[in-house]
Amino acid sequence: MPGRSAQLPDSAQKSDTFTGTVWADPVLPATDGVVINTVFFAPGARTFWHHHEHGQILHVLAGSGLVRSDGGPVQPLRPGDVVWVPPGERHWHGAGPGSYLVHLAISLGTTVWAEEVAGAQGAGPCPM
């Protein structure tokens, strides 16, 4: 029988691998290495550096934010944007300094968490 949202745990505030206030709501039970969450980031909140075994899809639902791959520029996130992060690509994402961000995160395979994003790594020119 297919998984149903009624079988999901409650929302969870994230803290071990996030900076700032972040809430995650499971959309479906984790199945076959696929985890789907709706994630709310308060202004300025973001993930630590991390990568996904088989990649990640981010679909921005509301607010505005930022995403950055290691060694790349900071890129804006706006409602309707869909971002593909390739397998193994180290990155972070979160809300911009003046807005909340809500995105659907589809994580494929194991997520490997790394260190907190240092100040200069989260800054830089961004065409917001």
Side-chain angles (χ1 to χ4, degrees):
M1 173 181 238
R4 297 179 186 267
S5 60
Q7 301 168 343
L8 296 174
D10 292 333
S11 297
Q13 186 169 5
K14 300 296 188 176
S15 61
D16 292 344
T17 54
F18 294 81
T19 300
T21 301
V22 178
W23 287 85
D25 292 295
V27 174
L28 292 170
T31 304
D32 297 330
V34 177
V35 175
I36 305 172
N37 287 299
T38 301
V39 186
F40 168 84
F41 295 84
R46 61 183 168 221
T47 68
F48 281 24
W49 286 105
H50 64 287
H51 68 272
H52 304 274
E53 179 182 19
H54 299 297
Q56 184 178 48
I57 300 163
L58 304 173
H59 180 195
V60 180
L61 303 174
S64 63
L66 307 167
V67 61
R68 180 178 182 203
S69 292
D70 199 4
V74 175
Q75 298 291 321
L77 294 172
R78 296 184 180 95
D81 286 351
V82 177
V83 175
W84 165 244
V85 181
E89 184 169 295
R90 186 174 134 105
H91 67 288
W92 62 260
H93 41 94
S99 176
Y100 68 93
L101 172 70
V102 179
H103 69 44
L104 186 69
I106 303 168
S107 302
L108 309 171
T110 303
T111 300
V112 177
W113 291 98
E115 74 277 5
E116 185 173 4
V117 176
Q121 295 172 321
C126 179
M128 286 202 59

